[in-house]
Amino acid sequence: EIVLTQSPDFQSVTPKEKVTITCRASQSIGSSLHWYQQKPDQSPKLLIKYASQSLSGVPSRFSGSGSGTDFTLTINSLEAEDAATYYCHQSNSLPQTFGGGTKVEIK
Amino acid sequence: QVQLQESGPGLVKPSETLSLTCTVSGGFITNYYWSWIRQPPGKGLEWIGYIYYSGRTNYNPSLKSRVTISVDTSKNQFSLKLSSVTAADTAVYYCARVDGGNLDYWGQGTLVTVSS
């Protein structure tokens, strides 16, 4: 089973700051890494697919990068509505697995 | 716009079987894989398994002996059964559509509590 390790677990950030969340896979997963945003009492929402592919309707301040074992989700100029927990997810190998999540709080 | 809706009992007794159904609207269940994911209260996400519209399945080995996912294309639904449940199976259960590898549409989730 591929283990995804996210860091940090928690981040408290001022609006307009840049946020960087990392996800490290225990073995190479190519680009089969996806990012989700989950707000309290809501279901996860797909933000970035295949490491760096943006999605229609997702604000351009969200971007992803990486391949192999190291991946990054970047939120440029954080807004109050971005307060959420962010999860990475790999679909390269079965069983599919998720990272432990990074909670982003707005100061 | 594709929408998914989970339904089923919110309370299940220990040792019994948890049964949930996901109804897909706004699109057809054919030509896609469909997943179940769960999230214990205050914790992270766990992939349970998926099913193709043809009936092909794959399950998380940690749950494989207790899980069955099935599909009913005539009703545009797929279902989850988890047997011999314990308190550790208490979670919000989500159904989701698989698009390639990512999960692009999710249901709102349903909380299932295992308790006598």
Side-chain angles (χ1 to χ4, degrees):
Chain A
E1 172 175 316
I2 294 176
V3 176
L4 298 179
T5 303
Q6 284 185 239
S7 61
D9 295 333
F10 176 83
Q11 198 164 10
S12 184
V13 187
T14 303
K16 297 188 180 180
E17 265 192 81
K18 179 180 176 179
V19 174
T20 301
I21 299 169
T22 65
C23 178
R24 175 162 289 176
S26 58
Q27 61 192 77
S28 179
I29 57 172
S31 296
S32 299
L33 189 286
H34 320 289
W35 291 98
Y36 302 84
Q37 176 193 64
Q38 186 179 33
K39 296 182 179 181
D41 298 319
Q42 293 186 18
S43 54
K45 171 189 172 184
L46 181 65
L47 281 182
I48 300 287
K49 63 181 183 179
Y50 290 101
S52 61
Q53 294 182 21
S54 57
L55 294 158
S56 174
V58 174
S60 59
R61 61 183 180 273
F62 291 95
S63 64
S65 64
S67 67
T69 60
D70 293 303
F71 302 86
T72 301
L73 174 69
T74 301
I75 312 174
N76 282 302
S77 192
L78 187 80
E79 297 192 7
E81 65 182 26
D82 301 333
T85 300
Y86 294 84
Y87 293 94
C88 57
H89 159 231
Q90 68 82 20
S91 61
N92 182 75
S93 300
L94 295 173
Q96 296 185 10
T97 50
F98 291 87
T102 296
K103 185 174 183 178
V104 174
E105 174 193 88
I106 309 298
K107 283 183 182 175
Chain B
Q1 177 81 346
V2 175
Q3 293 185 315
L4 292 83
Q5 178 68 59
E6 304 89 350
S7 59
L11 181 64
V12 181
K13 289 183 169 56
S15 80
E16 295 190 346
T17 297
L18 176 160
S19 295
L20 296 174
T21 295
C22 182
T23 301
V24 179
S25 59
F28 292 107
I29 206 164
T30 51
N31 297 322
Y32 282 96
Y33 285 84
W34 303 87
S35 268
W36 287 98
I37 302 101
R38 69 180 183 178
Q39 185 171 37
K43 296 188 178 181
L45 300 163
E46 179 181 29
W47 181 78
I48 298 171
Y50 65 53
I51 188 165
Y52 193 46
Y53 76 99
S54 63
R56 175 177 171 263
T57 55
N58 198 289
Y59 303 135
N60 193 322
S62 67
L63 300 168
K64 188 174 183 177
S65 63
R66 301 193 291 131
V67 171
T68 302
I69 300 176
S70 59
V71 65
D72 186 337
T73 54
S74 67
K75 295 182 179 179
N76 237 33
Q77 294 176 334
F78 61 106
S79 299
L80 169 70
K81 290 189 186 298
L82 182 65
S83 63
S84 305
V85 296
T86 69
D89 295 311
T90 293
V92 175
Y93 285 77
Y94 295 102
C95 57
R97 190 180 81 167
V98 183
D99 179 33
N102 60 82
L103 303 162
D104 63 346
Y105 290 98
W106 294 64
Q108 66 184 29
T110 186
L111 174 63
V112 179
T113 301
V114 179
S115 174
S116 55

